[in-house]
């Protein structure tokens, strides 16, 4: 790709990719190899061993950097492997300020793994970024934000977090999985590290598990690349290729996810059995003005509670949908329905979960790109 500033749709298709030098193949080959032959000791073509480098992964990493407007991209075997690599930047005694409404697996790795290594995590409400200040002390090293949050679609002001991070020389990590680079680019808003579970919108077809980090700082990139290679949570080349292919249609898919998301959020809001709809595109959604400022549109992720706030009532809806498949994960072309209390957030104790607004009847939707009339009909029938 020529050294020119292209718009997002063009970058998604072309960034990092060039025809294969040996054959001219327009699509990046899957370099299914564990090692590379050297002409003489130390005389190689930039590739020595496939945990360290793989040409398919290199192309993907360059594409990831370009679409998040960053300089360096790193890919991992899963989103959690990417989270693990970032947490390994910390030392015993370090403290991290984390949003209290976040992916259950992130909560689990922090509290059940890294806490055992002497790292302290403060789970706080970040809807007002000034609240972060109260928790900063001389041991604080990192602010960790997910926005929109999973599953309540709370919005955190990335620029506000970045201001505090810069004042106190902290690293700001933003999990951009829900928004995808189509809706939001945290590096442009002052984040230091952007994280993706590429399993979701980047892959887009529910056929791969993958993680990504994107940074601008060369020293940070070097540290993370050292962890990537030393700890070895790297993706296989076929998985890297699937994500690379998924990225090419991100803009077209996201446009439809957003259109369908709006129509379904409005349908649910007008349904008599629905208590509350959490979708960041509503003008009265908390921090909607910030969402409007930092996002290009509002996406297809939403949650809702029922007037009958019981697990039984939620189960009844969850077991009746035909098009919305009951499954963990999100961001694929097909619509998914889930129950955070028993699925994605099952690892959070009930008391903690309710305290943070994750009610028993809370149902999460990942609205796909099917015809929206069919999706609405499916929900109408399931709600009864
Ligand atoms: C917001 C968010 N971050 C991180 C992860 C972890 O990613 P993975 O499942 O690819 O390990 C997930 C998974 O659901 C997620 O939703």
């Amino acid at each position: 790709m020529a050294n020119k500033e292209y718009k997002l749709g063009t970058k998604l298709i072309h960034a990092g990719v060039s025809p294969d030098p040996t054959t001219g193949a327009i699509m990046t080959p899957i370099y299914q190899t564990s090692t590379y032959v050297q002409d003489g000791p130390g005389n190689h073509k930039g590739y020595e061993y496939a945990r360290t480098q793989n040409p398919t992964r290199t192309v993907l990493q360059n594409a990831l950097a370009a679409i998040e407007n960053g300089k360096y991209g790193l890919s991992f075997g899963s989103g959690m492997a990417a989270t693990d690599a970032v947490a390994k930047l910390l030392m015993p005694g370090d403290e991290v300020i984390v949003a209290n409404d976040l992916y259950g697996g992130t909560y689990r790795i922090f509290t059940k793994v890294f806490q055992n290594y002497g790292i302290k995590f403060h789970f706080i409400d970040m809807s007002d970024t000034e609240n972060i200040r109260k928790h900063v002390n001389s041991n604080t090293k990192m602010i960790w934000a997910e926005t929109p949050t999973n599953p309540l679609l709370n919005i955190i002001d990335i620029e506000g977090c970045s201001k505090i991070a810069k004042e106190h020389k902290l690293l700001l990590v933003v999990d951009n999985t829900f928004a995808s680079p189509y809706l939001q680019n945290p590096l442009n808003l002052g984040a230091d590290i952007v994280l993706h579970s590429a399993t979701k919108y980047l892959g887009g077809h529910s056929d791969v598990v993958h993680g990504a980090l994107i940074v601008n700082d060369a020293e940070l990139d070097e540290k993370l690349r050292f962890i990537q290679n030393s700890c070895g949570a790297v993706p296989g080349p076929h998985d890297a290729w699937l994500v690379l292919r998924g990225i090419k249609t991100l803009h077209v898919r996201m446009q439809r996810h957003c259109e369908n998301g709006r129509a379904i959020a409005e349908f649910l809001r007008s349904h008599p059995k629905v208590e509350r709809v959490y979708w960041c595109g509503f003008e009265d959604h908390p921090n909607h003005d910030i969402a409007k400022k930092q996002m290009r549109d509002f996406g297809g992720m939403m949650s809702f509670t029922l007037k009958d706030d019981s697990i039984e009532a939620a189960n009844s809806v969850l077991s009746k949908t035909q098009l919305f498949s009951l499954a963990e994960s999100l961001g694929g072309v097909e619509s998914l329905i889930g129950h955070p209390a028993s699925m994605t957030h099952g690892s959070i104790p009930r008391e903690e979960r309710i305290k943070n607004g994750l009610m028993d009847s809370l149902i999460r939707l990942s609205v796909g790109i099917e015809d929206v009339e069919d999706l609405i009909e499916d929900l109408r029938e399931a709600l009864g």
Side-chain angles (χ1 to χ4, degrees), residues 34-73:
S34 64
T35 193
Y36 310 87
V37 177
Q38 307 192 7
D39 290 338
N43 184 6
H44 53 77
K45 299 179 170 64
Y47 293 90
E48 294 149 277
Y49 183 61
R51 170 163 36 77
T52 321
Q53 316 104 336
N54 176 283
T56 316
R57 185 178 5 136
T58 302
V59 172
L60 172 61
Q61 295 186 143
N62 292 340
L64 288 165
I67 64 177
E68 274 292 12
N69 301 332
K71 288 199 182 124
Y72 309 99

Side-chain angles (χ1 to χ4, degrees), residues 117-128:
Y117 294 99
I119 296 160
K120 193 164 171 189
F121 297 90
H122 300 268
F123 295 91
I124 66 155
D125 177 4
M126 285 193 191
S127 54
D128 175 3

Side-chain angles (χ1 to χ4, degrees), residues 16 52-54 56-76 82 85 187 192-196 202 210-218 220-222 224-226 228 234-235 247:
T52 321
Q53 316 104 336
N54 176 283
T56 316
R57 185 178 5 136
T58 302
V59 172
L60 172 61
Q61 295 186 143
N62 292 340
L64 288 165
I67 64 177
E68 274 292 12
N69 301 332
K71 288 199 182 124
Y72 309 99
L74 298 101
S75 57
F76 292 86
L187 293 179
D192 299 290
I193 302 177
V194 175
L195 182 143
H196 280 282
L202 292 178
H210 201 99
L213 297 175
I214 302 102
V215 301
N216 263 326
D217 182 72
L220 192 52
D221 170 63
E222 200 183 316
L224 289 167
R225 224 163 275 275
F226 177 80
Q228 183 195 40
V234 292
I247 284 175

